[in-house]
Amino acid sequence: MIDRIFLSHPRSVGESYGEHARTAARFGFTMIAGGAACVVHAVLPFLFVRTASDSVKKLYAQMKARQPAFSQERPAFQQPEWQIEYEI
């Protein structure tokens, strides 16, 4: 039971429980900080102009590097269908 609950998933991604806990916590805190910056930016748009998007891109790159088959693809944010065109 303990093995299935605590160790099965970390092993499936090639990590120990501790390695997986550190990585997941780091990702989580990065998302929290990016989300907080996004909320502040919503109220004060001159602050944290790129913080949230940079956080997402950084996490995306790290996640992609951890998955060999996934790492061969271009990042989704660089795909044409994900680009937002602005008219000035």
Side-chain angles (χ1 to χ4, degrees):
M1 177 73 129
I2 298 231
D3 182 71
R4 184 175 57 83
I5 294 172
F6 291 102
L7 303 174
S8 179
H9 174 65
R11 283 186 191 137
S12 75
V13 294
E15 296 175 334
S16 70
Y17 177 82
E19 290 169 329
H20 193 71
R22 281 189 299 277
T23 301
R26 183 174 42 81
F27 270 66
F29 286 127
T30 301
M31 287 190 275
I32 290 169
C38 215
V39 170
V40 171
H41 175 74
V43 178
L44 304 168
F46 58 91
L47 293 176
F48 305 114
V49 176
R50 298 192 50 94
T51 305
S53 60
D54 287 347
S55 296
V56 170
K57 289 176 184 177
K58 180 178 108 176
L59 289 174
Y60 183 82
Q62 290 174 6
M63 184 66 72
K64 189 172 178 178
R66 296 167 49 83
Q67 301 174 24
F70 187 44
S71 67
Q72 304 305 315
E73 300 175 17
R74 272 177 69 190
F77 62 84
Q78 291 178 349
Q79 305 276 348
E81 59 271 17
W82 287 88
Q83 300 294 317
I84 298 174
E85 295 183 27
Y86 296 99
E87 292 184 28
I88 297 176

